[in-house]
Amino acid sequence: MAVSERRGLARGSPAELGQQLVLLLLLGSCCGRIHRLVLTGEKRPNIQLNSFGFYTNGSLEVDLSLLRLGLQETKEKTPLVGFSLTRIRSSSVRSSSTQDPNDCPLQKNSSNPLVLFLINTKDLQVQVRKYGEQKKLFISPGLLPEMPSEPGLPKPEHTVTPKKDSGEAGWRAGKEGAYALSPQGLIGKDEELVWGLDHHNNSYNFSFHVVIGSRAEEGQYSLSFHNCYNLMRGQEQPFDITVMIREKNPEGFLSASEIPLFKLYMVMSACFLAAGVFWVSVLCKNTYNVFKIHWLMAALAFTKSISLLFHSINYYFINSQGHPIEGLAVMHYITHLLKGALLFITIALIGSGWAFVKYVLSDKEKNIFGIVIPLQVLANVAYIVIESREEGASDYGIWKEILFLVDLICCGAILFPVVWSIRHLQDASGTDGKVAVNLAKLKLFRHYYVMVICYVYFTRIIAILLQVAVPFQWQWLYQLLVEGSTLAFFVLTGYKFQPAGDNPYLQLPQEDEEDVQMEQVMTDSGFREGLSKVNKTASGRELL
């Protein structure tokens, strides 16, 4: 069960930062689909708690174990503190994005599917208001039992576990299998249900659960907490909240868009493993044309395969237990960090021509690596923080923006070595007399530049647009496009730069200036009389 508290990364020595990174790795291994969010001294008026895709008979349980408000007396008739449960199109599109930040979501009527849980601290009541067509969205106080006899619809004697002095009524069956409430509290379209609110030691608590009763109610639901008293700037009052959220579908704890990911990552792991094995076999057959960068490409393929394997195993345990296994999750984060660093380093090294045609990087290329490597470390730290923190944590959005920005900078930075190599070959093709070789290399570099652009475009832009466009149950196509594009990029890169004697990228010039000068001197002196010249090949270079 994940615990997310309102604290960020403090400044300190490198040793302290290293300890905090290890702590984040350990915390990240605890996150799952059973969430526990702890916020102290919070002042945000709107907190996005979580988003989840539900199928029929899926359930949402919310246990507000502590709510401590520093509120003054107010004349507002409608409570301004509570939860909202909204059906959205996808997890990438929030319903609150189109709302005025100064408007309170708890005071608006809606024709769209919406459920409000209004906390009335004065009368110790929780008012439940449901808007839109949600006839089979069953809402009850209390939590679901551990082993329900009916995985679908809740029963009166089991699902309703009211707290003391709650005053609510149980469910009773209606016509055609519909459910209603006794006259103490009705719930239906645009109707209201009243529950009791416990008050103890200056804090409030209550719990409820929601069951998706039919296919008409299936969808992506977003749960938020609102404290509209803090909408007025300069008059915010800090509050404390502790809430547990448990989301479940009939097949397990994974969201509808995440259920296929276990099999997807397992299949893609096998594909990258097969690509890595095939690449090593190619290297072993062409020993005299193999360079260091070739083995680095093999290490990248195997690291990617291992990372996807651990990711797949994590989803398996999340689906069955609600949380991953600690050690496996840590291994996933470590391999993910190595994979990200190897990917950008390999792309930049290939683009600069290192180990193929030169062994020394220019100052500009060294500066690129000095930028990309630290940014990749920062991007992976941001990824770990996002995975380990709950969505409602105060610094969650900041780290998500950092990850997006840093990733874009890295994608742009790795293009510079390719552009510099293309310009160098364009200048050299018309001046050094080796037009044929340089033009062949120039063509290959231009192809590689287009490949990198397409890889970044498909994995960053097209994938995001696809995630926004498709329905909630097809959100996994985003991951399929990303992993498929990565595999295609790996295969094309290996094909273009495979260790072959006729590869223009691996060929050295037939003659250079020193060879010409030496040949002229030795011919004039008669030393080479009766000898023939043997051209240099790539096999005469330093090999692995």
Side-chain angles (χ1 to χ4, degrees):
M1 186 176 294
V3 179
S4 179
E5 296 186 1
R6 191 176 186 267
R7 54 173 178 243
L9 292 175
R11 296 180 180 178
S13 63
E16 293 176 349
L17 294 177
Q19 293 175 357
Q20 292 175 353
L21 180 57
V22 174
L23 179 60
L24 286 174
L25 286 170
L26 296 176
L27 286 177
S29 64
C30 300
C31 71
R33 300 309 178 265
I34 302 177
H35 312 270
R36 185 170 183 264
L37 178 66
V38 179
L39 299 176
T40 58
E42 186 61 60
K43 293 185 178 181
R44 288 178 294 168
N46 301 302
I47 302 175
Q48 177 71 40
L49 296 178
N50 205 28
S51 178
F52 196 85
F54 291 99
Y55 284 127
T56 304
N57 296 332
S59 62
L60 166 67
E61 299 176 74
V62 179
D63 183 14
L64 179 65
S65 57
L66 183 145
L67 176 62
R68 186 176 291 113
L69 302 170
L71 301 178
Q72 301 177 352
E73 291 295 331
T74 178
K75 297 182 180 179
E76 294 285 346
K77 296 182 179 180
T78 304
L80 300 180
V81 179
F83 295 92
S84 67
L85 182 64
T86 311
R87 194 191 309 180
I88 58 179
R89 178 173 177 80
S90 69
S91 58
S92 302
V93 182
R94 305 295 187 190
S95 60
S96 59
S97 59
T98 58
Q99 295 179 352
D100 189 340
N102 295 323
D103 291 341
C104 180
L106 302 178
Q107 291 182 316
K108 285 190 173 183
N109 296 333
S110 176
S111 58
N112 298 321
L114 172 67
V115 181
L116 300 179
F117 302 85
L118 308 177
I119 301 175
N120 189 338
T121 57
K122 183 178 181 180
D123 299 329
L124 295 181
Q125 292 179 343
V126 178
Q127 304 172 12
V128 183
R129 297 177 181 176
K130 188 164 67 170
Y131 301 94
E133 294 291 339
Q134 302 181 85
K135 297 180 180 180
K136 294 296 182 68
L137 186 70
F138 303 108
I139 306 171
S140 300
L143 302 178
L144 287 170
E146 294 296 331
M147 297 295 294
S149 57
E150 290 286 341
L153 303 179
K155 289 189 176 182
E157 63 271 18
H158 295 294
T159 57
V160 179
T161 55
K163 296 181 180 291
K164 183 177 180 181
D165 298 331
S166 59
E168 71 281 345
W171 293 99
R172 59 180 176 84
K175 296 182 179 180
E176 298 180 357
Y179 278 72
L181 281 171
S182 61
Q184 294 181 1
L186 297 175
I187 185 166
K189 182 180 179 181
D190 299 348
E191 294 183 352
E192 184 175 305
L193 170 68
V194 178
W195 297 337
L197 178 67
D198 284 351
H199 184 209
H200 182 69
N201 291 335
N202 199 29
S203 66
Y204 306 93
N205 63 84
F206 78 101
S207 61
F208 65 91
H209 68 268
V210 180
V211 176
I212 309 300
S214 68
R215 295 190 62 180
E217 274 66 46
E218 292 180 348
Q220 190 85 14
Y221 285 82
S222 176
L223 179 67
S224 303
F225 177 81
H226 308 279
N227 184 358
C228 295
Y229 293 104
N230 287 349
L231 285 174
M232 299 184 63
R233 296 181 179 180
Q235 300 183 11
E236 298 91 346
Q237 294 291 330
F239 62 92
D240 304 335
I241 182 174
T242 301
V243 59
M244 186 280 296
I245 304 172
R246 182 187 291 114
E247 302 147 326
K248 193 173 183 180
N249 271 313
E251 298 182 8
F253 287 94
L254 288 179
S255 176
S257 61
E258 297 171 335
I259 292 176
L261 292 184
F262 163 69
K263 296 179 181 179
L264 171 63
Y265 287 140
M266 187 65 70
V267 171
M268 296 306 301
S269 175
C271 291
F272 280 100
L273 178 61
V277 172
F278 178 78
W279 180 250
V280 171
S281 67
V282 172
L283 300 185
C284 293
K285 292 178 181 179
N286 299 272
T287 308
Y288 294 104
N289 294 314
V290 175
F291 297 89
K292 297 177 181 179
I293 192 68
H294 287 129
W295 293 109
L296 188 63
M297 294 163 67
L300 174 60
F302 287 120
T303 305
K304 176 68 173 179
S305 175
I306 296 173
S307 176
L308 289 175
L309 176 63
F310 284 125
H311 207 177
S312 175
I313 296 175
N314 277 340
Y315 272 107
Y316 173 79
F317 285 105
I318 290 175
N319 189 48
S320 59
Q321 302 179 7
H323 58 83
I325 301 300
E326 179 176 335
L328 293 175
V330 173
M331 291 302 300
H332 163 61
Y333 291 135
I334 294 175
T335 53
H336 180 82
L337 190 150
L338 293 176
K339 180 265 300 179
L342 281 176
L343 175 62
F344 284 93
I345 290 175
T346 303
I347 294 175
L349 286 176
I350 294 176
S352 64
W354 179 83
F356 285 120
V357 295
K358 64 180 180 181
Y359 286 94
V360 179
L361 297 175
S362 64
D363 292 337
K364 294 190 298 183
E365 292 166 344
K366 290 179 181 179
N367 292 334
I368 290 296
F369 285 98
I371 294 173
V372 170
I373 295 177
L375 286 180
Q376 270 301 297
V377 174
L378 177 60
N380 282 278
V381 170
Y383 174 81
I384 295 172
V385 171
I386 291 173
E387 290 293 310
S388 63
R389 296 297 178 90
E390 294 295 342
E391 193 172 347
S394 56
D395 56 353
Y396 181 88
I398 297 176
W399 281 106
K400 198 168 183 179
E401 293 176 358
I402 291 176
L403 176 61
F404 181 77
L405 178 61
V406 170
D407 185 66
L408 287 182
I409 294 176
C410 290
C411 291
I414 60 176
L415 293 175
F416 283 99
V418 187
V419 175
W420 294 333
S421 297
I422 292 176
R423 290 181 178 177
H424 173 72
L425 291 174
Q426 286 176 337
D427 297 337
S429 62
T431 58
D432 60 2
K434 310 177 188 66
V435 179
V437 175
N438 287 328
L439 286 180
K441 293 180 180 179
L442 179 61
K443 182 178 180 181
L444 187 60
F445 265 102
R446 285 175 174 171
H447 289 173
Y448 184 64
Y449 178 78
V450 174
M451 287 164 51
V452 175
I453 290 291
C454 291
Y455 170 72
V456 173
Y457 186 74
F458 274 93
T459 57
R460 268 70 179 178
I461 300 177
I462 297 297
I464 295 177
L465 294 178
L466 178 66
Q467 190 177 23
V468 174
V470 299
F472 76 100
Q473 68 269 31
W474 297 100
Q475 293 287 302
W476 58 274
L477 292 176
Y478 166 82
Q479 285 82 3
L480 176 61
L481 178 61
V482 170
E483 302 303 335
S485 302
T486 304
L487 179 61
F489 177 73
F490 281 21
V491 172
L492 289 176
T493 302
Y495 175 75
K496 290 289 185 180
F497 303 105
Q498 58 182 316
D502 57 347
N503 192 327
Y505 194 44
L506 309 181
Q507 291 179 355
L508 285 178
Q510 297 294 325
E511 294 182 344
D512 53 29
E513 295 179 1
E514 294 180 1
D515 291 337
V516 174
Q517 294 175 0
M518 183 61 65
E519 181 180 1
Q520 181 67 31
V521 171
M522 298 178 70
T523 302
D524 294 341
S525 63
F527 182 77
R528 293 185 57 187
E529 184 176 356
L531 300 178
S532 60
K533 181 178 181 298
V534 178
N535 291 334
K536 291 168 62 178
T537 63
S539 61
R541 306 188 52 169
E542 180 184 351
L543 304 176
L544 284 181

